[in-house]
Amino acid sequence: MDRVMKLASQKAVVIFSKSSCCMCHAIKTLFYDLGVNPAIHELDEDPRGREMEKALQRLGCNPSVPAVFIGGKLVNSTNTIMSLHLGGSLVPMLKEAGALWL
């Protein structure tokens, strides 16, 4: 869990993903379209990916990916991110975290 938290705090937006996950792709695309350059950690391509996936599950991510951290805080799943976006709360959250400047 320490590794996940360390990685999650290294950039304003961090996404833990799997390269074959369609919902992960949708979330990454959303952030790119908003002008955010997130740090992305593909768990299926990382030698310690299984360990990080278990740590994400212990943090409450179910399913474990996509797991999104904004400003070092777990925002969680696709459903949460999309709800924030549709409700108009995601962009202000990204600005506060320093992921967007405009």
Side-chain angles (χ1 to χ4, degrees):
M1 193 169 328
D2 291 340
R3 178 169 168 75
V4 167
M5 296 310 291
K6 181 179 178 187
L7 291 171
S9 66
Q10 290 182 338
K11 203 160 182 190
V13 176
V14 178
I15 302 172
F16 291 91
S17 173
K18 287 188 178 175
S19 58
S20 61
C21 171
C22 64
M23 297 311 283
C24 295
H25 176 73
I27 289 297
K28 291 183 280 190
T29 300
L30 170 65
F31 282 101
Y32 287 136
D33 288 350
L34 290 172
V36 175
N37 186 22
I40 298 174
H41 300 281
E42 300 288 357
L43 300 183
D44 56 340
E45 296 174 0
D46 189 305
R48 296 176 68 185
R50 296 286 294 156
E51 175 188 326
M52 289 190 287
E53 187 172 2
K54 289 178 184 175
L56 289 166
Q57 289 172 335
R58 285 193 300 274
L59 287 171
C61 297
N62 190 17
S64 58
V65 293
V68 179
F69 289 78
I70 299 175
K73 296 178 184 156
L74 178 62
V75 179
N76 213 336
S77 67
T78 303
N79 187 41
T80 305
I81 296 296
M82 294 309 244
S83 295
L84 288 168
H85 180 55
L86 293 173
S89 301
L90 183 59
V91 169
M93 186 183 291
L94 292 168
K95 286 180 181 177
E96 185 178 319
L100 288 176
W101 294 274
L102 301 175

